[in-house]
Amino acid sequence: MESATRSARNILTGLHEVMASKNHAQGKLNHVVNIIGEALSSEVCSIYLLRDGALELFATRGLNQAAVHITRLGLGEGLVGTIAENVETLNLDEAAAHPNFRYVPETGEERFHSFAGVPIVRSERAVGVLAVQHVEPRKYEEVEIEALQTVAMVLSELIANADLIDEPSAHGSNETGTVSLSGLPLVKGAAAGVAIFHQPNVRIEHTVAEDTEAERQRVYSAFDKMRAQIDRMASQIDFGTGGEHEEVIATYKMFAYDEGWSRRINEAIDSGLTAEAAIERVQQRTRMRMRQIDDPLLADRMHDLEDLSNRLLRIVSGQMSTAAQLGLKKDSILIARNLGPAELLEYDKRRLRGVVLEEGSLTAHVVIVARAMGIPVLGRVRGIRHKVRDGDMLLLNADEKSVIVRPSLAAEEIFQHDLIDRQKKKARYAAMRDEASVTKDGVPVTLMINAGLRDDMSALATTGAEGVGLFRTEFQFLISATLPQRERQQRFYRDVMDAAGEKPVIFRTLDIGGDKALPYLKDETSEEENPALGWRALRLSLDHAGLMKAQARALIEASAGRTLNVMFPMVSEPWEFDAAKAIFDGQIEFLGKRKKVLPNKIRYGAMLEVPALAETLDILLPKIDFLSIGTNDLTQFLFAADRADPRLAERYDWLSPAILRFIRRVVKATEGHDVDVAVCGEMGGRTLEALALIGVGIHRLSITPAAVGPIKAMVLSTNHAEVRAKLEELLNSPTENLREALTAWAASRGIETG
Ligand code: PEP
Ligand code: MG
């Protein structure tokens, strides 16, 4: 690192003089390639700049001078075009071996083997490329690449001031027509509003420092201010009440006080950069690293760091305003590359209608917060910031995975009608909240909700659901940067039960592994070829008995004086249930000896999601109080189809004889046992599927809160005896398309299937 700082510093000292000189821009660039070439002992150093949509060779040391302003490469063309298009660094010992290599005869570059190039970035887009080449085939060292990246940053200032490039507009497009963009629904719902950019880009005016010590002091004082802001947030009542906000702020705090981060910024200042440039340089480097690491959870935490980095940049540059601080004037849809949860919370909830992100993932903190705020979010909308202008009208429909930019008046009208219909439906479902969920012939169908966060608990009251049929305790572990300690878990479970009041909550013990990897257990779970079939859920918990004991004790202590409902995920054999229960028994004995108040009662349950368990139900059923069928995993195991693979998402239908017969068989096996049987997978939250489940004998569903209204409407319009008979008929001699047959039948019987 020392020498990286030194190489960069030497170059920057040279550049400083060049930039201050009275030379015209071309003269400065010629000078720059010589300084860099010499400092890195590189035979070739070239600068390509984006002009009229192509990368033009502007200056070179080592290549034929005759090629300057002649050689032009399109974005994506050759190595230089690849670097610019992907905004990525290339470091190759043999340039010609790269699949995108393109030989440019007029440059005379055939003698040179090794090649390294970095993008020159402005407003997060490449406006040029800085490249070095060597005769000898050799990889450039990390320190040399670092120095090139630092120099590229300074160059971006020099060339922008000289007006040499196609300047990317701060935000977006010159387009005027309607565009429809698609993305990944992160929080469902629909909204219309004007586009508001979360953050005007901080323009970095100067990159090379006049006085390094003064820059260091500026960064120190910005860090102090930022830490004070975070500490203030932590003490606000909104945040101080535990739950997920506490986790978010804890992660922020961890980064804000992270020595490594401030040290890296300091090192960048040592290399001769201004405070702003140093912060941006470190952020750029983190972004590049993140692109290479394919770990969504880590990426989410890195977004928190990016959020803080932006905050620091705004403080140090004095360009403080976000759209939140300027205030929303109309119904707005927020556009951002990514957003920190705290940043989202700064918005006026009455005017903020939706969020569209260029990045984003289901487990990101900001998504969890948006869900709790009831704001639809569409993520992974590529290029949104370049296709939308501030103030453009947007129609966001996260359910349909789309956002329409600058819609026609007709499209807007249709959309407004759709919004009114949604409102009406919501109002109708809300009015049914206190109605009992019984079929027309008087058979009760218990509706419970699936939850995982404390904020989800408010849905019990708004939906009128009878309890929480599945509380996914792993969510708490997933949003935390570190393993939640036992006391924290206990406080959390108690809060959840308090929020549920008299209604029961079924806590499922940790279901991690598979697609739910924890950063702090990553080494142990990341090597699996088939993680869904791997060391996950109860298997992992039984092997990590410490983890499970801590959770058992937290749950038992949190339920002192009340009933604890606990269930185990992925039970494959009855003995696994015994082993899990033994851990709870051990904790009860331990706490009993210490005269702790114990739960009045513990009800035990198992999830049936591994088909093998269906063959041993006669052994399991006498041991348990309830069984919950997890159709998400069950389907993937029955059909041998990965639930996370988008290509298989629609291949097998939940309304298939295989699944429905399987569930019917399980229900039959439970007859005569005092065991509640429920379905808690996503299947139960869809009206037609829920109708079929009732038809095979299911009377309890645990579903996503938004589905409670539509499912209750279906139950109220169904005759139980009739649907039982219909399913018997359909399953005994199945038609090719069971879905079609059931849809037609439901319509003929006036059943509301939404
Ligand atoms: C299931 O598998 O159906 C289930 C409810 O659990 P999860 O989706 O958390 O795996
Ligand atoms: Mg499951």
Side-chain angles (χ1 to χ4, degrees), residues 600-636:
N600 293 342
K601 186 174 178 190
I602 305 189
R603 295 179 74 240
Y604 288 99
M607 283 195 68
L608 192 152
E609 37 191 352
V610 177
L613 190 65
E615 296 299 327
T616 47
L617 282 178
D618 55 324
I619 310 169
L620 179 73
L621 289 170
K623 305 169 193 270
I624 61 176
D625 300 295
F626 56 92
L627 186 71
S628 198
I629 305 177
T631 46
N632 303 339
D633 275 310
L634 180 65
T635 315
Q636 81 167 342

mmCIF file of all heavy atoms in Angstrom, residues 600-636:
data_model
loop_
_atom_site.group_PDB
_atom_site.id
_atom_site.type_symbol
_atom_site.label_atom_id
_atom_site.label_comp_id
_atom_site.label_asym_id
_atom_site.label_seq_id
_atom_site.Cartn_x
_atom_site.Cartn_y
_atom_site.Cartn_z
ATOM 1 N N ASN A 600 -46.146 -21.601 30.199
ATOM 2 C CA ASN A 600 -47.238 -22.429 30.737
ATOM 3 C C ASN A 600 -47.324 -23.735 29.976
ATOM 4 O O ASN A 600 -47.657 -24.775 30.523
ATOM 5 C CB ASN A 600 -48.578 -21.714 30.558
ATOM 6 C CG ASN A 600 -48.633 -20.482 31.437
ATOM 7 O OD1 ASN A 600 -47.837 -20.381 32.387
ATOM 8 N ND2 ASN A 600 -49.526 -19.566 31.112
ATOM 9 N N LYS A 601 -47.028 -23.635 28.681
ATOM 10 C CA LYS A 601 -47.217 -24.798 27.828
ATOM 11 C C LYS A 601 -46.309 -24.623 26.613
ATOM 12 O O LYS A 601 -46.100 -23.496 26.156
ATOM 13 C CB LYS A 601 -48.691 -24.786 27.375
ATOM 14 C CG LYS A 601 -49.119 -25.986 26.590
ATOM 15 C CD LYS A 601 -50.624 -25.895 26.344
ATOM 16 C CE LYS A 601 -51.039 -27.099 25.507
ATOM 17 N NZ LYS A 601 -52.397 -26.982 25.041
ATOM 18 N N ILE A 602 -45.786 -25.752 26.128
ATOM 19 C CA ILE A 602 -45.051 -25.666 24.863
ATOM 20 C C ILE A 602 -45.727 -26.594 23.869
ATOM 21 O O ILE A 602 -45.924 -27.775 24.151
ATOM 22 C CB ILE A 602 -43.567 -26.065 24.996
ATOM 23 C CG1 ILE A 602 -42.895 -25.236 26.087
ATOM 24 C CG2 ILE A 602 -42.849 -25.873 23.671
ATOM 25 C CD1 ILE A 602 -41.389 -25.398 26.159
ATOM 26 N N ARG A 603 -46.098 -26.047 22.721
ATOM 27 C CA ARG A 603 -46.689 -26.871 21.667
ATOM 28 C C ARG A 603 -45.625 -27.038 20.588
ATOM 29 O O ARG A 603 -45.028 -26.063 20.134
ATOM 30 C CB ARG A 603 -47.941 -26.203 21.086
ATOM 31 C CG ARG A 603 -49.072 -26.082 22.113
ATOM 32 C CD ARG A 603 -50.289 -25.401 21.493
ATOM 33 N NE ARG A 603 -50.987 -26.298 20.574
ATOM 34 C CZ ARG A 603 -51.172 -26.040 19.293
ATOM 35 N NH1 ARG A 603 -50.719 -24.937 18.751
ATOM 36 N NH2 ARG A 603 -51.829 -26.890 18.522
ATOM 37 N N TYR A 604 -45.390 -28.300 20.220
ATOM 38 C CA TYR A 604 -44.337 -28.582 19.241
ATOM 39 C C TYR A 604 -44.938 -28.929 17.885
ATOM 40 O O TYR A 604 -45.963 -29.616 17.811
ATOM 41 C CB TYR A 604 -43.477 -29.758 19.696
ATOM 42 C CG TYR A 604 -42.575 -29.416 20.861
ATOM 43 C CD1 TYR A 604 -42.928 -29.750 22.167
ATOM 44 C CD2 TYR A 604 -41.369 -28.753 20.640
ATOM 45 C CE1 TYR A 604 -42.106 -29.428 23.237
ATOM 46 C CE2 TYR A 604 -40.538 -28.428 21.709
ATOM 47 C CZ TYR A 604 -40.916 -28.765 22.997
ATOM 48 O OH TYR A 604 -40.091 -28.443 24.039
ATOM 49 N N GLY A 605 -44.253 -28.490 16.836
ATOM 50 C CA GLY A 605 -44.705 -28.825 15.493
ATOM 51 C C GLY A 605 -43.534 -29.121 14.578
ATOM 52 O O GLY A 605 -42.375 -28.826 14.899
ATOM 53 N N ALA A 606 -43.854 -29.724 13.447
ATOM 54 C CA ALA A 606 -42.813 -30.004 12.447
ATOM 55 C C ALA A 606 -43.298 -29.490 11.108
ATOM 56 O O ALA A 606 -44.499 -29.459 10.844
ATOM 57 C CB ALA A 606 -42.565 -31.506 12.356
ATOM 58 N N MET A 607 -42.347 -29.082 10.277
ATOM 59 C CA MET A 607 -42.732 -28.733 8.914
ATOM 60 C C MET A 607 -42.600 -29.964 8.055
ATOM 61 O O MET A 607 -41.626 -30.722 8.175
ATOM 62 C CB MET A 607 -41.843 -27.626 8.366
ATOM 63 C CG MET A 607 -42.238 -26.293 8.937
ATOM 64 S SD MET A 607 -41.536 -24.928 8.031
ATOM 65 C CE MET A 607 -42.374 -25.026 6.467
ATOM 66 N N LEU A 608 -43.578 -30.157 7.201
ATOM 67 C CA LEU A 608 -43.450 -31.252 6.245
ATOM 68 C C LEU A 608 -43.119 -30.627 4.901
ATOM 69 O O LEU A 608 -43.968 -30.028 4.255
ATOM 70 C CB LEU A 608 -44.750 -32.060 6.145
ATOM 71 C CG LEU A 608 -44.581 -33.386 5.388
ATOM 72 C CD1 LEU A 608 -45.582 -34.412 5.862
ATOM 73 C CD2 LEU A 608 -44.665 -33.241 3.884
ATOM 74 N N GLU A 609 -41.855 -30.690 4.564
ATOM 75 C CA GLU A 609 -41.425 -30.144 3.269
ATOM 76 C C GLU A 609 -40.481 -31.105 2.567
ATOM 77 O O GLU A 609 -40.156 -30.939 1.404
ATOM 78 C CB GLU A 609 -40.824 -28.744 3.418
ATOM 79 C CG GLU A 609 -40.002 -28.521 4.664
ATOM 80 C CD GLU A 609 -39.638 -27.057 4.909
ATOM 81 O OE1 GLU A 609 -39.879 -26.209 4.049
ATOM 82 O OE2 GLU A 609 -39.091 -26.788 5.987
ATOM 83 N N VAL A 610 -40.045 -32.144 3.282
ATOM 84 C CA VAL A 610 -39.236 -33.187 2.666
ATOM 85 C C VAL A 610 -40.160 -34.397 2.473
ATOM 86 O O VAL A 610 -40.729 -34.901 3.442
ATOM 87 C CB VAL A 610 -38.051 -33.569 3.583
ATOM 88 C CG1 VAL A 610 -37.243 -34.705 2.987
ATOM 89 C CG2 VAL A 610 -37.184 -32.355 3.848
ATOM 90 N N PRO A 611 -40.349 -34.845 1.236
ATOM 91 C CA PRO A 611 -41.331 -35.905 0.981
ATOM 92 C C PRO A 611 -41.129 -37.162 1.842
ATOM 93 O O PRO A 611 -42.102 -37.810 2.226
ATOM 94 C CB PRO A 611 -41.122 -36.228 -0.502
ATOM 95 C CG PRO A 611 -40.542 -34.989 -1.089
ATOM 96 C CD PRO A 611 -39.743 -34.337 -0.006
ATOM 97 N N ALA A 612 -39.885 -37.480 2.184
ATOM 98 C CA ALA A 612 -39.625 -38.708 2.951
ATOM 99 C C ALA A 612 -40.411 -38.747 4.264
ATOM 100 O O ALA A 612 -40.814 -39.819 4.727
ATOM 101 C CB ALA A 612 -38.124 -38.829 3.243
ATOM 102 N N LEU A 613 -40.640 -37.564 4.834
ATOM 103 C CA LEU A 613 -41.324 -37.542 6.128
ATOM 104 C C LEU A 613 -42.749 -38.093 6.016
ATOM 105 O O LEU A 613 -43.279 -38.653 6.980
ATOM 106 C CB LEU A 613 -41.342 -36.112 6.687
ATOM 107 C CG LEU A 613 -41.808 -35.982 8.137
ATOM 108 C CD1 LEU A 613 -40.847 -36.677 9.096
ATOM 109 C CD2 LEU A 613 -41.952 -34.508 8.538
ATOM 110 N N ALA A 614 -43.333 -37.967 4.830
ATOM 111 C CA ALA A 614 -44.715 -38.443 4.650
ATOM 112 C C ALA A 614 -44.808 -39.953 4.875
ATOM 113 O O ALA A 614 -45.872 -40.469 5.225
ATOM 114 C CB ALA A 614 -45.210 -38.087 3.251
ATOM 115 N N GLU A 615 -43.697 -40.663 4.674
ATOM 116 C CA GLU A 615 -43.696 -42.126 4.831
ATOM 117 C C GLU A 615 -43.562 -42.559 6.285
ATOM 118 O O GLU A 615 -43.703 -43.736 6.595
ATOM 119 C CB GLU A 615 -42.562 -42.743 4.005
ATOM 120 C CG GLU A 615 -42.716 -42.549 2.502
ATOM 121 C CD GLU A 615 -43.981 -43.195 1.951
ATOM 122 O OE1 GLU A 615 -44.400 -44.243 2.489
ATOM 123 O OE2 GLU A 615 -44.565 -42.636 0.991
ATOM 124 N N THR A 616 -43.242 -41.620 7.163
ATOM 125 C CA THR A 616 -43.051 -42.014 8.570
ATOM 126 C C THR A 616 -43.968 -41.220 9.498
ATOM 127 O O THR A 616 -43.678 -41.077 10.691
ATOM 128 C CB THR A 616 -41.578 -41.799 9.001
ATOM 129 O OG1 THR A 616 -41.166 -40.508 8.562
ATOM 130 C CG2 THR A 616 -40.656 -42.842 8.423
ATOM 131 N N LEU A 617 -45.052 -40.701 8.938
ATOM 132 C CA LEU A 617 -45.958 -39.883 9.756
ATOM 133 C C LEU A 617 -46.528 -40.667 10.933
ATOM 134 O O LEU A 617 -46.773 -40.108 12.001
ATOM 135 C CB LEU A 617 -47.087 -39.322 8.894
ATOM 136 C CG LEU A 617 -46.714 -38.113 8.031
ATOM 137 C CD1 LEU A 617 -47.886 -37.671 7.173
ATOM 138 C CD2 LEU A 617 -46.221 -36.952 8.902
ATOM 139 N N ASP A 618 -46.751 -41.985 10.748
ATOM 140 C CA ASP A 618 -47.296 -42.779 11.858
ATOM 141 C C ASP A 618 -46.387 -42.720 13.083
ATOM 142 O O ASP A 618 -46.844 -42.784 14.221
ATOM 143 C CB ASP A 618 -47.515 -44.232 11.410
ATOM 144 C CG ASP A 618 -46.242 -44.842 10.842
ATOM 145 O OD1 ASP A 618 -45.472 -44.107 10.165
ATOM 146 O OD2 ASP A 618 -45.978 -46.038 11.093
ATOM 147 N N ILE A 619 -45.083 -42.548 12.845
ATOM 148 C CA ILE A 619 -44.146 -42.466 13.977
ATOM 149 C C ILE A 619 -44.120 -41.041 14.538
ATOM 150 O O ILE A 619 -44.042 -40.827 15.743
ATOM 151 C CB ILE A 619 -42.715 -42.858 13.528
ATOM 152 C CG1 ILE A 619 -42.756 -44.183 12.770
ATOM 153 C CG2 ILE A 619 -41.752 -42.909 14.709
ATOM 154 C CD1 ILE A 619 -41.457 -44.525 12.059
ATOM 155 N N LEU A 620 -44.184 -40.072 13.622
ATOM 156 C CA LEU A 620 -44.046 -38.676 14.054
ATOM 157 C C LEU A 620 -45.304 -38.115 14.733
ATOM 158 O O LEU A 620 -45.223 -37.431 15.755
ATOM 159 C CB LEU A 620 -43.692 -37.793 12.836
ATOM 160 C CG LEU A 620 -43.541 -36.302 13.143
ATOM 161 C CD1 LEU A 620 -42.239 -36.031 13.900
ATOM 162 C CD2 LEU A 620 -43.580 -35.446 11.875
ATOM 163 N N LEU A 621 -46.468 -38.413 14.151
ATOM 164 C CA LEU A 621 -47.696 -37.727 14.588
ATOM 165 C C LEU A 621 -47.979 -37.815 16.086
ATOM 166 O O LEU A 621 -48.395 -36.818 16.694
ATOM 167 C CB LEU A 621 -48.895 -38.214 13.768
ATOM 168 C CG LEU A 621 -48.892 -37.723 12.302
ATOM 169 C CD1 LEU A 621 -49.963 -38.431 11.480
ATOM 170 C CD2 LEU A 621 -49.082 -36.211 12.230
ATOM 171 N N PRO A 622 -47.774 -38.989 16.735
ATOM 172 C CA PRO A 622 -48.063 -39.034 18.174
ATOM 173 C C PRO A 622 -47.186 -38.092 19.001
ATOM 174 O O PRO A 622 -47.505 -37.782 20.150
ATOM 175 C CB PRO A 622 -47.763 -40.500 18.546
ATOM 176 C CG PRO A 622 -47.811 -41.245 17.257
ATOM 177 C CD PRO A 622 -47.380 -40.288 16.201
ATOM 178 N N LYS A 623 -46.077 -37.610 18.414
ATOM 179 C CA LYS A 623 -45.148 -36.776 19.184
ATOM 180 C C LYS A 623 -45.445 -35.294 19.061
ATOM 181 O O LYS A 623 -44.885 -34.482 19.788
ATOM 182 C CB LYS A 623 -43.707 -36.981 18.663
ATOM 183 C CG LYS A 623 -43.193 -38.408 18.634
ATOM 184 C CD LYS A 623 -41.874 -38.419 17.845
ATOM 185 C CE LYS A 623 -41.420 -39.817 17.486
ATOM 186 N NZ LYS A 623 -40.576 -40.432 18.486
ATOM 187 N N ILE A 624 -46.278 -34.899 18.079
ATOM 188 C CA ILE A 624 -46.386 -33.461 17.800
ATOM 189 C C ILE A 624 -47.806 -32.927 18.001
ATOM 190 O O ILE A 624 -48.772 -33.690 18.041
ATOM 191 C CB ILE A 624 -45.927 -33.136 16.357
ATOM 192 C CG1 ILE A 624 -46.790 -33.857 15.319
ATOM 193 C CG2 ILE A 624 -44.473 -33.444 16.164
ATOM 194 C CD1 ILE A 624 -46.454 -33.492 13.874
ATOM 195 N N ASP A 625 -47.888 -31.579 18.104
ATOM 196 C CA ASP A 625 -49.191 -30.921 18.247
ATOM 197 C C ASP A 625 -49.689 -30.367 16.921
ATOM 198 O O ASP A 625 -50.868 -30.169 16.734
ATOM 199 C CB ASP A 625 -49.084 -29.765 19.248
ATOM 200 C CG ASP A 625 -48.645 -30.261 20.610
ATOM 201 O OD1 ASP A 625 -49.407 -31.025 21.228
ATOM 202 O OD2 ASP A 625 -47.511 -29.931 21.038
ATOM 203 N N PHE A 626 -48.750 -30.030 16.037
ATOM 204 C CA PHE A 626 -49.193 -29.514 14.733
ATOM 205 C C PHE A 626 -48.156 -29.818 13.654
ATOM 206 O O PHE A 626 -46.966 -30.028 13.946
ATOM 207 C CB PHE A 626 -49.500 -28.014 14.795
ATOM 208 C CG PHE A 626 -48.364 -27.166 15.289
ATOM 209 C CD1 PHE A 626 -47.464 -26.599 14.411
ATOM 210 C CD2 PHE A 626 -48.197 -26.930 16.658
ATOM 211 C CE1 PHE A 626 -46.416 -25.820 14.870
ATOM 212 C CE2 PHE A 626 -47.151 -26.152 17.132
ATOM 213 C CZ PHE A 626 -46.258 -25.592 16.224
ATOM 214 N N LEU A 627 -48.679 -29.855 12.427
ATOM 215 C CA LEU A 627 -47.845 -30.151 11.264
ATOM 216 C C LEU A 627 -48.109 -29.040 10.250
ATOM 217 O O LEU A 627 -49.263 -28.670 10.017
ATOM 218 C CB LEU A 627 -48.292 -31.491 10.662
ATOM 219 C CG LEU A 627 -47.462 -32.052 9.514
ATOM 220 C CD1 LEU A 627 -46.109 -32.545 10.029
ATOM 221 C CD2 LEU A 627 -48.191 -33.222 8.831
ATOM 222 N N SER A 628 -47.032 -28.493 9.674
ATOM 223 C CA SER A 628 -47.236 -27.407 8.718
ATOM 224 C C SER A 628 -46.566 -27.795 7.400
ATOM 225 O O SER A 628 -45.368 -28.087 7.373
ATOM 226 C CB SER A 628 -46.630 -26.123 9.286
ATOM 227 O OG SER A 628 -47.154 -25.021 8.615
ATOM 228 N N ILE A 629 -47.365 -27.814 6.348
ATOM 229 C CA ILE A 629 -46.829 -28.268 5.060
ATOM 230 C C ILE A 629 -46.213 -27.075 4.337
ATOM 231 O O ILE A 629 -46.900 -26.100 4.036
ATOM 232 C CB ILE A 629 -47.941 -28.906 4.191
ATOM 233 C CG1 ILE A 629 -48.617 -30.039 4.984
ATOM 234 C CG2 ILE A 629 -47.376 -29.414 2.883
ATOM 235 C CD1 ILE A 629 -49.791 -30.692 4.247
ATOM 236 N N GLY A 630 -44.909 -27.143 4.117
ATOM 237 C CA GLY A 630 -44.184 -26.056 3.439
ATOM 238 C C GLY A 630 -44.135 -26.364 1.958
ATOM 239 O O GLY A 630 -43.244 -27.049 1.476
ATOM 240 N N THR A 631 -45.103 -25.835 1.236
ATOM 241 C CA THR A 631 -45.211 -26.228 -0.179
ATOM 242 C C THR A 631 -44.112 -25.632 -1.053
ATOM 243 O O THR A 631 -43.893 -26.114 -2.158
ATOM 244 C CB THR A 631 -46.583 -25.807 -0.752
ATOM 245 O OG1 THR A 631 -46.830 -24.465 -0.356
ATOM 246 C CG2 THR A 631 -47.682 -26.709 -0.254
ATOM 247 N N ASN A 632 -43.414 -24.585 -0.561
ATOM 248 C CA ASN A 632 -42.334 -24.027 -1.388
ATOM 249 C C ASN A 632 -41.240 -25.064 -1.570
ATOM 250 O O ASN A 632 -40.810 -25.360 -2.682
ATOM 251 C CB ASN A 632 -41.726 -22.774 -0.743
ATOM 252 C CG ASN A 632 -42.750 -21.696 -0.489
ATOM 253 O OD1 ASN A 632 -43.809 -21.694 -1.105
ATOM 254 N ND2 ASN A 632 -42.458 -20.794 0.425
ATOM 255 N N ASP A 633 -40.787 -25.606 -0.455
ATOM 256 C CA ASP A 633 -39.742 -26.627 -0.551
ATOM 257 C C ASP A 633 -40.309 -27.964 -1.021
ATOM 258 O O ASP A 633 -39.688 -28.664 -1.820
ATOM 259 C CB ASP A 633 -39.037 -26.804 0.800
ATOM 260 C CG ASP A 633 -37.923 -25.780 0.962
ATOM 261 O OD1 ASP A 633 -37.116 -25.656 0.031
ATOM 262 O OD2 ASP A 633 -37.883 -25.103 1.999
ATOM 263 N N LEU A 634 -41.493 -28.290 -0.531
ATOM 264 C CA LEU A 634 -42.076 -29.583 -0.904
ATOM 265 C C LEU A 634 -42.177 -29.714 -2.428
ATOM 266 O O LEU A 634 -41.841 -30.749 -3.000
ATOM 267 C CB LEU A 634 -43.472 -29.718 -0.281
ATOM 268 C CG LEU A 634 -44.190 -31.032 -0.595
ATOM 269 C CD1 LEU A 634 -43.450 -32.207 0.008
ATOM 270 C CD2 LEU A 634 -45.633 -31.014 -0.083
ATOM 271 N N THR A 635 -42.617 -28.634 -3.083
ATOM 272 C CA THR A 635 -42.759 -28.690 -4.541
ATOM 273 C C THR A 635 -41.413 -28.894 -5.212
ATOM 274 O O THR A 635 -41.292 -29.665 -6.154
ATOM 275 C CB THR A 635 -43.383 -27.378 -5.067
ATOM 276 O OG1 THR A 635 -44.460 -27.035 -4.229
ATOM 277 C CG2 THR A 635 -43.865 -27.518 -6.468
ATOM 278 N N GLN A 636 -40.393 -28.171 -4.715
ATOM 279 C CA GLN A 636 -39.099 -28.328 -5.379
ATOM 280 C C GLN A 636 -38.562 -29.747 -5.199
ATOM 281 O O GLN A 636 -37.931 -30.297 -6.099
ATOM 282 C CB GLN A 636 -38.088 -27.268 -4.947
ATOM 283 C CG GLN A 636 -37.358 -27.471 -3.652
ATOM 284 C CD GLN A 636 -36.160 -26.502 -3.518
ATOM 285 O OE1 GLN A 636 -35.682 -25.931 -4.488
ATOM 286 N NE2 GLN A 636 -35.694 -26.338 -2.290
#
